[in-house]
Amino acid sequence: MAQLWGGRFTEETDKLVYNFNASISFDQKFYAQDIEGSIAHVVMLAKQGILSKEEKDEIVKGLTGIRQDVENGTLEITEEYEDIHSFVEANLIERIGETGKKLHTGRSRNDQVALDMRLYTRIEVLSVDDLLRNLLGTILRLMEEHLQTYMPGFTHLQKAQPVTLAHHLGAYFEMFKRDRLRLADIYKRMNYCPLGAGALAGTTYPLDRYYTANLLGFEGPTLNSMDSVSDRDYIIEFLAALSTIMMHLSRFCEEIIIWNSNEYRFVEIDDSYATGSSIMPQKKNPDIAELIRGKTGRVYGALVSILTTMKGIPLAYNKDMQEDKELAFDAIDTVKGCLALFDGMLKTMKFNRQIMEKSAMMGFTNATDAADYLVGRGVAFRDAHGIIGKLVLYCIDRNCCIEDLTIEELKSISPFFEEDVYEKISLKTCVEKRLTVGAPGEEAMKKAIQEQKEFLERH
Ligand code: ARG
């Protein structure tokens, strides 16, 4: 058991207490950030004349050596230390002797851990954003490919009006684009440096917090030392953004599972992203999509967990806050894994254009357009709605679609039908006429795609 605080104690910590309290098993994940923060801290201490230049050089060399040795595998982070901070400090003292004991001057583990977690989270915000960017690239390429792949659009999972695959995918482009904007926003808010807040009330050493903040690439120092050590909002915000990303992925997965089903066959998931059954030889299951949908729950769980942990904590630091790490790490890794796998699955998936188009034709997705046709011929919309309703019923009885009827049959239901109706309610016309901003018509879609491309160039 290696502890930084033995002085005041006469008895050993109970072994169970020690294990319950220790965080090294998970906070070793940010050893690199702990060292990076310590280096910035001593560089600042030397600039302020609190440490000599020689002392600073010695400490920086020692810390850099620790990082290298951990990275090349010669130094193992073991559980004999309470946390990553103790591990680094003890190793430093072992390596460089007495000077190592000056590292923690003007610092507390409270501002230290607040800094480490922020540095760690900050990088992860960027790597999640990178994965989202890749996914948006994949979606945009598919959109360009499928401007004329007609398919039914659904409401209530009932065929509603025809759209294109490009348009449907474009909806997800919007969702993941908003996710990226959310991350950018969170990044801006979190990018302030808590180091120098001390245990809770700053320190009496003349620290230059602007300097440390600047060395570590922050916008500036945080402005209230009590808040600095007890703020975990940025983790909560990040987990909320991650939960939203998972919600979007999960909806997309749900659609892919439906589309990939034997009944729909709109898509076929590539063999490399599907799995089989141990008993039913015919099966090819969409396990990856299901797992991503399933893992959404665990990311939501991390968010709810930390929200709950934080809700009753008085100022300033309390040990409850140690609970911010494990589930957050797990959620971040989960989302990154899901984004990468989802992108791969989408890229390799086959879209069955004919089946999608046939499905759009067979589901009366042009019924609104048929009503609008009658409106164009002078019928009031409510009457036209009733007439087409009857027409649909007539077709259901005969198991055909509106455009399969002869002009005589159509006229027997409403004299306002003329020969041009077939062209006016064809699938192509129904989609291509929809040209309002954001609609599926090809010209409208091309404009939207152009804007999305510009977004990807800017971000
Ligand atoms: N392992 C602790 C955490 O993650 C580090 C801070 C410890 N500070 C303290 N006063 N015990 O929150």
Side-chain angles (χ1 to χ4, degrees):
M1 294 198 248
Q3 289 155 328
L4 298 170
W5 38 265
R8 186 218 179 281
F9 289 76
T10 49
E11 275 179 54
E12 279 280 306
T13 319
D14 180 276
K15 185 80 184 109
L16 284 177
V17 171
Y18 182 83
N19 291 341
F20 190 67
N21 193 47
S23 54
I24 187 107
S25 64
F26 48 88
D27 63 17
Q28 57 179 280
K29 211 167 166 85
F30 51 52
Y31 76 89
Q33 285 75 26
D34 193 72
I35 292 173
E36 183 189 357
S38 290
I39 291 177
H41 182 62
V42 294
V43 169
M44 180 277 293
L45 290 179
K47 179 184 96 67
Q48 297 302 94
I50 303 165
L51 290 186
S52 71
K53 182 179 174 308
E54 294 67 39
E55 289 169 330
K56 174 208 69 177
D57 288 343
E58 238 185 297
I59 297 177
V60 170
K61 192 160 164 253
L63 288 170
T64 313
I66 294 175
R67 182 162 53 196
Q68 276 163 359
D69 290 352
V70 169
E71 258 140 42
N72 66 29
T74 49
L75 179 60
E76 203 193 331
I77 303 175
T78 61
E79 305 218 346
E80 81 190 84
Y81 300 93
E82 179 188 344
D83 54 27
I84 190 64
H85 324 297
S86 321
F87 167 83
V88 172
E89 194 175 317
N91 263 277
L92 182 69
I93 295 167
E94 208 174 287
R95 231 166 245 252
I96 67 168
E98 286 302 300
T99 314
K101 296 182 180 168
K102 297 192 173 181
L103 166 66
H104 210 53
T105 314
R107 187 175 71 168
S108 155
R109 274 186 300 165
N110 296 352
D111 59 344
Q112 187 178 357
V113 77
L115 171 71
D116 293 1
M117 189 62 181
R118 226 177 255 238
L119 286 172
Y120 185 86
T121 314
R122 192 174 68 168
I123 305 173
E124 294 296 343
V125 170
L126 295 181
S127 50
V128 171
D129 185 62
D130 253 4
L131 289 160
L132 281 169
R133 193 173 194 286
N134 288 345
L135 178 57
L136 286 181
T138 303
I139 294 176
L140 198 62
R141 276 193 296 283
L142 286 171
M143 285 167 73
E144 286 185 296
E145 234 174 85
H146 290 286
L147 282 166
Q148 292 177 358
T149 305
Y150 301 117
M151 65 179 286
F154 298 85
T155 63
H156 314 270
L157 206 50
Q158 304 277 323
K159 291 179 193 177
Q161 290 175 343
V163 294
T164 63
L165 179 58
H167 191 246
H168 196 120
L169 294 171
Y172 286 102
F173 190 100
E174 287 297 312
M175 295 179 228
F176 294 122
K177 181 172 82 177
R178 284 197 296 276
D179 287 330
R180 292 192 62 204
L181 294 171
R182 234 184 306 278
L183 291 178
D185 202 43
I186 293 167
Y187 188 96
K188 266 191 245 150
R189 233 185 331 277
M190 73 187 283
N191 200 24
Y192 290 87
C193 183
L195 193 65
L200 77 162
T203 84
T204 53
Y205 296 97
L207 306 185
D208 184 346
R209 293 194 59 213
Y210 284 93
Y211 187 74
T212 328
N214 190 29
L215 283 181
L216 292 167
F218 286 105
E219 220 21 67
T222 51
L223 291 185
N224 180 290
S225 58
M226 289 177 83
D227 178 56
S228 307
V229 291
S230 57
D231 165 32
R232 298 293 183 271
D233 289 7
Y234 64 97
I235 305 176
I236 293 172
E237 285 192 79
F238 188 30
L239 288 174
L242 293 178
S243 296
T244 310
I245 293 169
M246 287 307 290
M247 180 266 289
H248 292 151
L249 281 177
S250 183
R251 292 182 72 178
F252 208 161
C253 283
E254 170 70 8
E255 297 208 295
I256 288 171
I257 292 163
I258 295 172
W259 292 353
N260 186 67
S261 68
N262 304 137
E263 281 67 27
Y264 274 73
R265 297 198 298 120
F266 282 10
V267 301
E268 186 176 344
I269 295 176
D270 194 71
D271 277 5
S272 58
Y273 280 85
T275 49
S277 156
S278 60
I279 173 169
M280 298 167 282
Q282 84 282 13
K283 295 277 270 184
K284 180 174 154 186
N285 296 329
D287 287 28
I288 297 308
E290 290 169 14
L291 265 176
I292 295 173
R293 187 179 60 184
K295 283 177 191 290
T296 304
R298 108 191 224 180
V299 176
Y300 290 2
L303 171 64
V304 174
S305 161
I306 181 151
L307 277 170
T308 312
T309 297
M310 292 302 294
K311 88 181 181 61
I313 305 185
L315 290 177
Y317 179 84
N318 296 263
K319 197 61 177 255
D320 318 40
M321 289 172 183
Q322 182 165 290
E323 287 295 309
D324 65 354
K325 292 175 194 65
E326 279 165 290
L327 294 180
F329 291 157
D330 179 78
I332 293 166
D333 292 345
T334 300
V335 173
K336 280 165 59 180
C338 289
L339 280 169
L341 277 161
F342 186 86
D343 188 47
M345 177 172 70
L346 191 63
K347 267 189 190 138
T348 52
M349 206 159 72
K350 260 214 315 287
F351 293 93
N352 297 326
R353 292 172 195 244
Q354 276 86 16
I355 293 177
M356 285 181 160
E357 184 164 332
K358 188 146 175 259
S359 168
M361 287 175 67
M362 287 314 293
F364 302 108
T365 57
N366 55 0
T368 318
D369 296 79
D372 288 341
Y373 170 85
L374 291 177
V375 171
R377 318 260 342 194
V379 182
F381 180 77
R382 192 48 59 212
D383 293 334
H385 187 285
I387 295 167
I388 302 299
K390 282 212 197 77
L391 195 58
V392 166
L393 210 55
Y394 182 88
C395 290
I396 290 173
D397 282 344
R398 284 158 187 76
N399 191 26
C400 68
C401 44
I402 302 175
E403 52 275 40
D404 291 339
L405 301 177
T406 63
I407 189 69
E408 289 73 32
E409 284 174 296
L410 288 171
K411 274 185 185 294
S412 73
I413 291 173
S414 167
F416 288 94
F417 283 117
E418 297 291 343
E419 268 302 330
D420 64 344
V421 66
Y422 297 105
E423 192 270 319
K424 289 278 168 56
I425 64 165
S426 78
L427 193 56
K428 190 168 167 56
T429 317
C430 289
V431 173
E432 299 314 338
K433 267 190 334 210
R434 295 186 141 73
L435 291 171
T436 39
V437 175
E442 186 164 351
E443 287 317 307
M445 275 305 300
K446 280 185 176 159
K447 281 188 205 139
I449 286 177
Q450 188 48 37
E451 285 205 31
Q452 309 297 33
K453 274 194 178 151
E454 285 164 20
F455 170 81
L456 284 185
E457 275 158 27
R458 280 197 312 274
H459 299 272

